[in-house]
Amino acid sequence: MIGLLQPEHTGRYADLTFPSYRAALHSAESIIAVSASVGGAAAGLGLARIDGDVLSIAVRDAHRRQGIGRALLARLEEELSAAGARAATCTYMTENPSTEAVEKILRARNWETPVERMLVCRAPIAPVKKASWVQTAASLDVVPWEEVPRAGRAAFDSSEGFEPANSLGVRIGGGLAGCVVTHRIARSLLRYTKLAMRPGLEKSGIGLALLAEAIRRHPNDTNEEEEAGIWDVRMDNRLMLNLVRRRLQPYLTRVSKTMGSRKLL
C-alpha cells in the first residue's frame, strides 16, 4: 500500500533515507514523505522537498523488483503537483549498486534524459589531514557556521543539518566573506557540500585556506582510519575541478559523477 507517511510511523521508515534527511521526516510543511507497506511491514520510502526536489527513494531488499519504487515516485509526483510544484527534479550518483534501478524508474516515469551535474570524489581523511597544503595553510579569521545568523548564512548557503564541527565562515574586515559547509551523510562519512567565496575573492587563495581549516577540524565519527570525506564539485566549476586535480587527486579512492534529471508536472 502506498500513502503519505503518518507521523506516528516515522520511526519504522527512518532507515530508508539518508541520515542527513531523517530529521526532515518530521517537517511536514517543507517535506513530502510517501511510504510503501507490504503486509503491514515498512517496505519503501520516497522523500521530496515541497519545491519539487526528490531527495531519496528506497525499497527494502525483500520487496524490490515489484514496482514499488516506481509507485513511490508516481505518488511523489502527484503530491508535488498538488502542492504547486511545476517540475520535479532529482540527482543521483553513478557507480552505485542502485544506479541502474534509479535510471529504470526514471525512464518508466518519462523523466528527461539525465545529464552530468557534479564530480564526486572520496578520500580517507587521515592522509588528507597530513597533506602539506593542509598543514601549512594560512590562518584565517573563522567563525563556526552555526554562530552566523541565518540571514548571513543565506547569502552563501542556506542548507540545514550541517556538521557543526567543521562548517565554517571566514571574515575579512569583520564581514562574512565566504564559507565551507559540510554534512554528515553516513557513519564515518562527511560530505564537503559547499565552498563559497564573496565575488572577487574566488582566486585569492582564501578558499583553499578555508578548506584546509575545515579538513583540520574534520571530526571522527568512529576512528580516524575509517573516517572519509566526499567533495562535490560542479562540472562547470573550473576552479574547484582544478583544486581537486592539484590538491586531492593523490588521496582519492573513488571518483564518480552525479546525474540530474527532471520532469514537468
Side-chain angles (χ1 to χ4, degrees):
M1 182 171 65
I2 306 292
L4 292 175
L5 179 64
Q6 299 304 306
E8 63 269 23
H9 296 154
T10 55
R12 297 166 51 202
Y13 289 86
D15 66 314
L16 286 165
T17 190
F18 300 107
S20 57
Y21 295 148
R22 288 173 188 168
L25 291 175
H26 303 281
S27 305
E29 294 182 358
S30 59
I31 294 292
I32 295 173
V34 175
S35 64
S37 62
V38 176
L45 179 71
L47 200 63
R49 292 193 180 95
I50 202 164
D51 63 2
D53 186 16
V54 177
L55 301 174
S56 67
I57 293 177
V59 179
R60 296 203 190 281
D61 291 349
H63 302 292
R64 291 179 179 172
R65 301 183 183 277
Q66 299 174 25
I68 293 176
R70 186 167 63 251
L72 286 169
L73 182 56
R75 182 61 182 270
L76 282 175
E77 292 170 8
E78 293 175 8
E79 296 294 335
L80 289 170
S81 179
R86 300 181 63 183
T89 61
C90 77
T91 302
Y92 63 93
M93 290 183 63
T94 62
E95 301 181 17
N96 272 349
S98 62
T99 299
E100 183 178 353
V102 169
E103 293 180 337
K104 183 178 180 180
I105 291 171
L106 294 178
R107 287 195 300 271
R109 293 298 306 161
N110 298 314
W111 282 53
E112 295 179 5
T113 301
V115 296
E116 293 181 350
R117 293 285 177 81
M118 284 187 157
L119 189 70
V120 181
C121 308
R122 177 171 176 156
I125 204 63
V128 179
K129 283 186 174 182
K130 297 175 182 177
S132 60
W133 66 273
V134 173
Q135 294 287 321
T136 61
S139 297
L140 301 171
D141 180 12
V142 299
V143 57
W145 197 234
E146 63 182 347
E147 295 181 12
V148 177
R150 188 182 298 269
R153 296 202 306 259
F156 295 93
D157 185 89
S158 59
S159 63
E160 298 294 339
F162 53 82
E163 168 57 57
N166 69 338
S167 292
L168 306 168
V170 60
R171 295 178 294 208
I172 297 178
L176 192 64
C179 72
V180 57
V181 179
T182 68
H183 291 82
R184 174 70 60 184
I185 59 174
R187 185 173 181 269
S188 304
L189 188 59
L190 197 66
R191 181 179 66 207
Y192 285 72
T193 309
K194 189 73 170 284
L195 177 63
M197 297 301 301
R198 198 168 63 201
L201 296 175
E202 295 92 344
K203 298 182 180 181
S204 65
I206 296 173
L208 179 63
L210 181 60
L211 177 60
E213 181 64 30
I215 290 171
R216 288 196 292 263
R217 299 188 186 200
H218 187 120
N220 300 322
D221 191 48
T222 53
N223 66 70
E224 189 166 347
E225 295 305 315
E226 296 178 0
E227 189 72 23
I230 282 184
W231 289 265
D232 297 343
V233 184
R234 289 202 326 268
M235 298 300 290
D236 61 352
N237 189 336
R238 293 184 178 275
L239 284 175
M240 279 300 298
L241 289 173
N242 187 51
L243 184 154
V244 168
R245 184 174 66 251
R246 295 183 58 194
R247 308 292 185 175
L248 293 174
Q249 184 68 45
Y251 311 100
L252 299 180
T253 56
R254 181 180 179 184
V255 178
S256 58
K257 297 176 182 177
T258 62
M259 307 294 289
S261 182
R262 68 194 293 268
K263 179 180 179 179
L264 296 178
L265 300 176

